[in-house]
Amino acid sequence: MSTTRPYPPGDRGPDPDGPAASASPPAPTTAGPIRQIRRLHLIGASGAVPRARDFTRQALRDWGWLPAATADQRAAAEDVLLVVSELVTNACLHADGPEEVRVSCNAKVLRLEVVDLGTGTPAPRTPHRAGRPGGHGMFIVQRLCLDWGVVRNVEGSGKTVWAELAAPG
């Protein structure tokens, strides 16, 4: 699992035998063609976290993740909803709210992206102290996701915080 890194999603870093990665725009890292991308604009919206969860839940229904047929599939969908809640909450608390939530999926990976205008860089609190209130969001994201990171907006302020989760088997 990664943390914040200077290269965009879809680029797993510099090739050990080649030049450093370019700062190209973010691209989904999903293996194979993307089945679909959904976007939810949240600029100035109230109730961003429940809106993002409901939006993501509907995408999961449309893509066949819900209703879940097995406990593993139910757990995978619950993980996605928890991660989107944590990312949007982080944007609300530390970046004056999210501008957009994007959800994309193919047969193997679901990708969540939260766009905000904040300048901060999210990171799991180290050391993680499970018994203390607050500061668990990015630790949860790190634990549940295959990968996650941050891409700065090259056209001005802001960033996209992204996370990828495995599709249920």
Side-chain angles (χ1 to χ4, degrees), residues 19-85:
S22 69
S24 60
T29 62
T30 54
I34 293 174
R35 197 168 32 182
Q36 209 168 88
I37 296 175
R38 304 277 174 97
R39 297 172 187 266
L40 174 66
H41 297 280
L42 291 169
I43 298 170
S46 62
V49 175
R51 282 180 143 186
R53 282 181 67 90
D54 290 345
F55 169 79
T56 303
R57 185 179 291 112
Q58 185 59 52
L60 295 178
R61 282 188 190 110
D62 293 347
W63 294 336
W65 287 46
L66 291 172
T70 67
D72 285 345
Q73 291 172 339
R74 188 170 28 263
E78 289 172 2
D79 287 353
V80 169
L81 295 174
L82 177 56
V83 170
V84 79
S85 295

